[in-house]
Amino acid sequence: MISSYLDKECRFWKPMVIKSSPDQGINEMQRDEAAVWIAKLSAEFTFLPETCGLAILLMDRVLQLVKVRAKYLQCVAVTCLHIAAKTLEEDENIPPTPYLVRKSCCGCSFAEITRMEMVILNKLNWNVLMPSSVDFLHMIHVVLLMHYPHLLTNQSNMGPSEHLSIVMRKMIRCLTCHSLNSFRPSSIALALISLELEQLTPGWLRLVLTLQRVTNVGSEQLMQCREAIADFLGQQIHTGYHYQSRKSSSSAPQSKKRKVEHLTPDSEDENMYDGIKRLYNEDLMTNAGTFQFDKAALRTSCGFEMHQDFDETTMGKTLLVN
């Protein structure tokens, strides 16, 4: 599975460069605010972390391909989350579009989200199932704990699922930082794991070198990514492990789709990662900004302009500027 994901990453991934124009385009800060908003919405809907990771990845791919007007960014963001949910979530956990529109307070209508969805899917050639940093993190963590089951022995009250939840929260925060988009998803996942291993065991370097061979991440790329993540997360990376077990009241369902993808025949315990449902038990975006909408722009953006000017034959040139 890792080999398959690496092949997809090699064929389709490109460093993130936001297409923008001085008068209408968005900037990196607005992109990060949109990513934070996606993460918070994903938590509210109790989506899987893979869904959140894919939604942010889809948004970044759209921003690479087209110049998105700033007043349409929230519509693009919530639509990417909807596409990711329909791709990865179980049917019973996918909210109806009208409920998604109402719950997200995005300022768009059902028709506008539906139309934006078709625009995005066509721009992406309907190729939406791409491996994100969250997917690589999950797989690397599985491999690591399968081959080194005693890695967490010295960490009281913390099993594999609790540890994955802690690391995954840091990963979701990393996805909200545009500067990390210059690194491959596999590099981000390995760099974050390596920083965690450094706090867990004196033999962390040997483990990282082994994982490097599995993921084909070069040493220079890894070191640069480690420095960028450590700088972004700050003191959270450099403090020691003093975590306590957490009790969660989250009712997020386990995904059969993900279980089929990530299940390994050598696993001794199929429920090893049941604790992933704890992922959203705490505030994901500590010290992060919130996505502030331009209310004046919303009143005239999606509703009036899209229905007045949208041309099906040009795939919405008034919505996404080629």
Side-chain angles (χ1 to χ4, degrees):
M1 184 175 293
I2 291 179
S3 177
S4 174
Y5 275 18
L6 287 172
D7 181 62
K8 280 187 176 182
E9 181 186 64
C10 182
R11 286 186 287 121
F12 297 106
W13 180 84
K14 294 180 180 179
M16 171 76 175
V17 177
I18 296 178
K19 286 191 174 183
S20 62
S21 57
D23 54 338
Q24 296 177 338
I26 68 169
N27 55 39
E28 287 82 0
M29 182 178 296
Q30 289 171 313
R31 177 268 169 200
D32 289 353
E33 290 173 348
V36 169
W37 187 59
I38 287 176
K40 289 191 173 183
L41 280 181
S42 184
E44 290 180 15
F45 286 107
T46 64
F47 289 155
L48 300 167
E50 287 88 345
T51 300
C52 178
L54 178 60
I56 295 175
L57 179 63
L58 291 176
M59 181 185 69
D60 287 339
R61 290 177 64 196
V62 171
L63 297 181
Q64 283 181 304
L65 293 172
V66 294
K67 297 176 183 177
V68 179
R69 296 183 180 183
K71 61 182 178 180
Y72 294 129
L73 180 57
Q74 63 267 27
C75 187
V76 171
V78 74
T79 303
C80 287
L81 180 62
H82 192 41
I83 294 173
K86 291 198 292 186
T87 303
L88 297 178
E89 295 290 332
E90 293 299 314
D91 292 341
E92 59 269 19
N93 201 40
I94 302 173
T97 307
Y99 178 74
L100 177 71
V101 171
R102 186 172 63 255
K103 180 84 171 178
S104 65
C105 300
C106 62
C108 303
S109 69
F110 167 83
E112 291 159 353
I113 295 293
T114 303
R115 190 164 296 185
M116 178 66 83
E117 182 177 3
M118 292 306 301
V119 172
I120 290 175
L121 290 174
N122 278 281
K123 287 293 182 182
L124 298 179
N125 296 318
W126 292 77
N127 182 22
V128 298
L129 192 56
M130 298 292 296
S132 69
S133 299
V134 173
D135 295 307
F136 281 110
L137 177 64
H138 190 91
M139 287 186 289
I140 291 173
H141 194 270
V142 168
V143 171
L144 186 64
L145 269 297
M146 279 179 58
H147 291 279
Y148 302 96
H150 304 298
L151 186 63
L152 301 175
T153 302
N154 295 329
Q155 300 301 316
S156 59
N157 300 321
M158 183 169 65
S161 59
E162 288 84 4
H163 181 254
L164 180 59
S165 296
I166 291 168
V167 182
M168 195 68 77
R169 282 194 291 272
K170 294 180 180 180
M171 173 57 74
I172 297 298
R173 290 196 63 207
C174 288
L175 295 180
T176 66
C177 178
H178 68 273
S179 62
L180 294 178
N181 278 340
S182 60
F183 301 102
R184 293 190 297 151
S186 57
S187 299
I188 296 174
L190 181 57
L192 183 57
I193 284 287
S194 71
L195 288 166
E196 296 296 310
L197 287 174
E198 190 174 358
Q199 306 300 315
L200 286 173
T201 173
W204 66 275
L205 185 57
R206 176 175 56 87
L207 300 182
V208 171
L209 291 174
T210 301
L211 293 173
Q212 270 189 269
R213 290 193 291 270
V214 173
T215 56
N216 295 325
V217 176
S219 297
E220 183 178 355
Q221 177 86 349
L222 177 61
M223 291 305 298
Q224 292 176 353
C225 192
R226 272 173 55 93
E227 292 176 3
I229 291 177
D231 182 63
F232 175 67
L233 294 179
Q235 293 302 315
Q236 290 192 17
I237 280 291
H238 300 291
T239 56
Y241 275 78
H242 303 291
Y243 304 111
Q244 301 296 324
S245 62
R246 295 172 171 82
K247 295 182 179 180
S248 173
S249 59
S250 172
S251 59
Q254 291 293 316
S255 169
K256 295 177 184 177
K257 293 178 183 177
R258 186 185 67 184
K259 196 173 290 184
V260 169
E261 274 198 22
H262 293 290
L263 191 62
T264 54
D266 296 328
S267 177
E268 296 179 357
D269 184 1
E270 292 184 357
N271 296 319
M272 182 177 182
Y273 296 111
D274 282 346
I276 192 64
K277 61 187 178 183
R278 300 181 178 87
L279 176 61
Y280 295 121
N281 192 36
E282 296 182 352
D283 184 11
L284 286 172
M285 297 296 118
T286 304
N287 299 324
T290 57
F291 196 12
Q292 301 294 328
F293 295 143
D294 186 344
K295 300 298 183 182
L298 283 177
R299 285 195 291 269
T300 60
S301 59
C302 295
F304 178 73
E305 293 185 21
M306 284 180 60
H307 287 297
Q308 184 182 52
D309 299 325
F310 189 86
D311 183 352
E312 295 289 351
T313 62
T314 60
M315 293 311 299
K317 288 185 178 179
T318 63
L319 179 63
L320 301 177
V321 181
N322 288 317

